[in-house]
Amino acid sequence: MGDTSGAGEPTLEEQIAAYQREFQDLDPQVEQIVSALSRLNRRMNVAYGRQTAELGISNAEWEVLKALVLSGAPYQMGPGELAKRLGLTPAAMTHRIDRMVGEGLVTRERDESNRVRVIVELTAEGREKWLEAMRLATVFEEDLLQDLSADERGVLGQFLTCLLRRVEHAQPDAGGRLSDLG
């Protein structure tokens, strides 16, 4: 593959060479892997952001829709539970829910069995936005992995899952936003 770095961004090779010049203990193989993963993650987030923008939703709204879908039918959660799952403050979650209620993506109602509790529920329109985002993401992801065979995809998936488990074990509190870790 050719140079796919952004304008002004050094190639991975240039970055690793500069790091080695400044920090001789660097393992270039390790640095290539983590730098490639970091750049891939950043570029994928940009691509997903463009896709959700085409649908008239933000990445932040997509995260709420995803959390509700992952909760299973009837696609309901309390705002506090959503905030915790997404690594947000309650105030930030309230603001996000307010916006999404206004857009018809979710409803917010008092729990009839416990009037203190509020329930956020995915609407039909919210579910349709989620499905359309998934359709777009599937096309993007298939294109991304087109050069890998099914076996290579399986091995890559296993390796990345292994790395993820190691990080989750070493940093169990790092599921939220980086600002929450300070």
Side-chain angles (χ1 to χ4, degrees):
M1 290 186 201
D3 175 16
T4 57
S5 64
E9 184 176 32
T11 65
L12 280 178
E13 295 78 14
E14 292 167 340
Q15 178 180 325
I16 293 165
Y19 284 177
Q20 283 183 298
R21 181 184 68 237
E22 302 297 326
F23 183 68
Q24 289 75 35
D25 293 338
L26 181 85
D27 181 334
Q29 198 172 40
V30 170
E31 189 58 37
Q32 180 185 21
I33 292 166
V34 296
S35 293
L37 285 171
S38 176
R39 287 184 186 202
L40 179 61
N41 180 59
R42 189 171 65 240
R43 284 171 174 77
M44 288 177 70
N45 283 336
V46 168
Y48 290 138
R50 288 179 179 145
Q51 290 178 341
T52 57
E54 285 178 30
L55 299 174
I57 60 174
S58 68
N59 271 352
E61 291 168 330
W62 156 254
E63 291 294 330
V64 174
L65 298 176
K66 179 175 71 171
L68 289 168
V69 168
L70 289 174
S71 73
Y75 312 116
Q76 300 174 340
M77 294 177 77
E81 187 180 0
L82 272 168
K84 185 175 181 178
R85 185 165 297 180
L86 298 178
L88 298 173
T89 64
M93 191 73 251
T94 297
H95 178 70
R96 192 172 295 179
I97 292 168
D98 287 346
R99 196 171 58 239
M100 294 178 74
V101 166
E103 295 169 358
L105 301 171
V106 299
T107 60
R108 177 181 39 213
E109 304 289 335
R110 293 255 176 236
D111 184 343
E112 290 302 320
S113 63
N114 177 354
R115 299 293 294 160
V116 175
R117 185 170 187 260
V118 172
I119 297 174
V120 177
E121 183 174 353
L122 187 66
T123 64
E125 182 177 346
R127 181 159 169 75
E128 187 51 44
K129 292 280 186 181
W130 178 83
L131 286 168
E132 188 58 32
M134 289 299 292
R135 289 181 194 105
L136 292 172
T138 298
V139 170
F140 168 71
E141 292 159 358
E142 286 292 330
D143 184 58
L144 176 69
L145 297 172
Q146 69 180 321
D147 296 327
L148 301 179
S149 70
D151 288 344
E152 290 169 329
R153 289 178 184 196
V155 170
L156 179 60
Q158 290 172 349
F159 286 155
L160 292 174
T161 300
C162 180
L163 295 176
L164 178 61
R165 285 187 181 131
R166 180 170 297 279
V167 170
E168 288 174 341
H169 178 74
Q171 304 288 325
D173 62 342
R177 303 294 187 249
L178 292 177
S179 60
D180 294 338
L181 300 177

